[in-house]
């Protein structure tokens, strides 16, 4: 039954793990707009006040199988967006924790999906699955996956687990290889590509930005609106159209730090960037410059909305209009 607000009152509920993270916050907010606040259960080990105000919020450590099972039962969960993970830069400092959370956490979710016949799972992979031996330009879907980071290794393993659970148990798990994600409503943390968010914020605050990635190190990136759009589009696609059960390449924009700085300067006048590449530059240098995502376009109609200028302009306008929620 649909109510006057367009909300389906008979649907099972949606669980988001890692909801307090950079993508989790924006994806949960969008899912709540679409399905109604009460139908989207936000979970994390870190509370987020804004999410706790707009719908149910539960403490969940995805490594705790019993806790995960209890929450799935309590909230009658039919779909899971499993986002809880440690990203690349932090992963190099916390090797075992990264492997454990990223791999065992995913296995716990896939097992629950199998046992409880959960309709659909979304799990994000990353451009970090590629290593220095993959073609740098227009990196294809199928190419050597020999990553340099523990995060990348965990994503390659995760992709294979997803394909295995789909093949062996029929779990309908869907995935995209995200590039670096850039948003302004939520804090990034632990990623190599986070420098782009930090540069934007610093520029808007009028301070000097010291960039940890070399001025010419190009990376595939994406505005958060497009990242949210991609997750929802792949989850809403006809199962027969999902031909890749590891993870889809996904592309939008690519730039090096000096190119982002130039666009930011056009909109804000900001020009104070110094470069002090650290270990994040080595990680970034092992990743592609740009991605070929024609399979995502062909299979489920992927098409990004934002180029670099539209992204910077949108963020600048929103932030200067003080449209940033308190966390
Ligand atoms: C990171 O930088 O670790 C992430 C990613 C590219 O997956 N943003």
């Amino acid at each position: 039954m649909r109510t006057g607000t367009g909300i389906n009152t008979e649907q099972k509920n949606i669980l988001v793990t890692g909801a307090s993270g950079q993508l989790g916050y924006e994806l949960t907010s969008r899912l709540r707009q679409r399905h109604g606040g009460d139908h989207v259960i936000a979970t994390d080990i870190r509370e987020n006040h804004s999410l706790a105000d707009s719908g149910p919020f539960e403490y969940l450590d995805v490594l705790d199988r019993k806790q995960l099972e209890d929450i799935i039962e309590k909230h009658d969960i039919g779909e899971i967006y499993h986002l809880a993970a440690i990203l690349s830069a932090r992963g190099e400092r916390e090797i075992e924790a990264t492997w454990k959370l990223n791999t065992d956490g995913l296995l716990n979710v896939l097992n629950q999906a199998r046992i409880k016949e959960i309709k659909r799972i979304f799990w994000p992979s990353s451009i970090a699955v590629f290593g220095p031996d993959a073609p740098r330009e227009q990196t294809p879907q199928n190419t050597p996956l020999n990553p340099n980071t523990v995060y990348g290794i965990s994503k390659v393993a995760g992709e294979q687990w997803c394909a295995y659970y789909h093949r062996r148990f029929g779990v309908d798990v869907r995935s995209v290889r995200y590039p670096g994600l850039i948003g302004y409503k939520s804090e990034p943390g632990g990623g190599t590509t986070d420098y782009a968010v930090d540069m934007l914020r610093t520029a808007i605050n009028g301070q000097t930005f010291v960039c940890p990635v070399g001025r010419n190190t190009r990376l595939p990136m994406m505005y958060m609106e497009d990242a949210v759009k991609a997750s929802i589009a792949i989850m809403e696609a006809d199962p027969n159209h999902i031909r890749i059960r590891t993870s889809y390449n996904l592309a939008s924009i690519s730039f090096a730090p000096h190119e982002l700085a130039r666009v930011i300067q056009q909109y804000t006048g900001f020009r104070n960037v110094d470069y002090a590449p650290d270990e994040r530059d080595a990680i970034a240098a092992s990743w592609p410059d740009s991605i070929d995502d024609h399979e995502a376009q062909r299979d489920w109609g992927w098409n990004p909305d934002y180029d670099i200028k539209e992204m910077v302009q949108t963020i600048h306008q929103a932030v200067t209009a003080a449209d940033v929620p308190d966390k």
Side-chain angles (χ1 to χ4, degrees):
M1 188 182 83
R2 291 204 168 260
T3 65
T5 57
I7 292 165
N8 184 345
T9 56
E10 285 168 5
Q11 73 187 14
K12 285 192 161 221
N13 295 315
I14 298 172
L15 177 73
V16 184
T17 75
S20 302
Q22 187 202 15
L23 171 63
Y25 175 79
E26 297 216 28
L27 184 55
T28 305
S29 307
R30 182 64 47 80
L31 290 168
R32 283 183 171 167
Q33 280 165 11
R34 289 169 76 86
H35 300 276
D38 289 346
H39 287 294
V40 181
I41 319 307
T43 69
D44 205 300
I45 56 169
R46 290 172 299 153
E47 205 192 6
N48 178 296
H49 296 301
S50 167
L51 289 180
D53 286 346
S54 62
F57 189 99
E58 298 264 13
Y59 176 93
L60 172 62
D61 175 356
V62 290
L63 293 174
D64 185 333
R65 288 184 205 174
K66 176 84 175 70
Q67 214 174 50
L68 176 63
E69 186 179 351
D70 287 350
I71 287 177
I72 288 172
E73 274 171 18
K74 175 177 165 194
H75 293 283
D76 192 21
I77 297 300
E79 269 183 33
I80 302 177
Y81 288 76
H82 173 48
L83 311 181
I86 295 177
L87 301 188
S88 57
R90 184 175 154 204
E92 294 306 288
R93 298 189 298 269
E94 299 174 34
I95 296 172
E96 284 180 34
T98 302
W99 175 253
K100 198 166 173 50
L101 175 62
N102 294 7
T103 318
D104 291 353
L106 172 62
L107 276 173
N108 287 346
V109 169
L110 290 172
N111 273 322
Q112 283 301 309
R114 172 171 68 92
I115 295 161
K116 302 230 173 333
E117 297 184 0
I118 287 172
K119 192 170 152 239
R120 210 158 279 177
I121 307 287
F122 175 80
W123 172 79
S125 184
S126 161
I127 54 163
V129 294
F130 301 114
D133 58 351
R136 292 195 73 84
E137 299 290 340
Q138 290 297 306
T139 307
Q141 176 71 40
N142 291 310
T143 197
L145 300 183
N146 295 311
N148 267 359
T149 60
V150 63
Y151 173 68
I153 297 170
S154 74
K155 290 295 182 187
V156 173
E159 289 191 2
Q160 292 302 322
W161 278 123
C162 289
Y164 179 86
Y165 269 71
H166 177 257
R167 196 167 55 239
R168 172 106 198 259
F169 304 115
V171 173
D172 186 358
V173 49
R174 302 166 180 213
S175 176
V176 294
R177 291 172 176 157
Y178 277 128
L181 303 185
I182 303 171
Y184 67 95
K185 295 182 184 165
S186 49
E187 291 286 335
T192 302
T193 59
D194 296 357
Y195 87 80
V197 180
D198 296 339
M199 188 191 284
L200 268 154
R201 286 180 182 236
T202 312
I204 288 163
N205 292 332
Q207 294 154 345
T208 296
F209 181 66
V210 181
C211 186
V213 170
R215 72 188 303 280
N216 295 316
T217 309
R218 278 188 137 242
L219 283 172
M221 297 277 191
M222 181 174 284
Y223 184 40
M224 188 61 80
E225 283 289 319
D226 276 330
V228 168
K229 174 175 142 172
S231 317
I232 294 176
I234 193 173
M235 283 293 267
E236 293 185 349
D238 181 330
N240 298 317
H241 293 172
I242 305 295
R243 287 190 266 185
I244 293 173
R245 290 296 181 165
T246 48
S247 188
Y248 279 90
N249 273 10
L250 195 69
S252 169
I253 44 186
S254 285
F255 55 77
H258 79 94
E259 293 166 314
L260 177 63
R262 202 175 50 228
V263 178
I264 293 175
Q265 191 187 335
Q266 279 168 20
Y267 289 97
T268 66
F270 170 83
R271 48 169 74 233
N272 305 339
V273 182
D274 293 336
Y275 293 91
D278 62 18
E279 67 286 350
R280 284 169 281 188
D281 188 51
I283 296 176
S286 75
W287 291 347
D289 287 10
S290 60
I291 299 286
D292 173 0
D293 67 354
H294 77 266
E295 281 91 347
Q297 297 175 32
R298 177 198 66 197
D299 290 357
W300 44 276
W302 166 243
N303 181 24
D305 291 328
Y306 289 83
D307 63 20
I308 184 170
K309 287 191 171 168
E310 285 160 336
M311 175 184 79
V312 171
Q313 189 180 25
T314 306
I315 294 177
H316 181 238
Q317 278 170 356
V319 173
T320 47
D323 185 24
V324 187
D326 286 342
K327 296 200 61 213

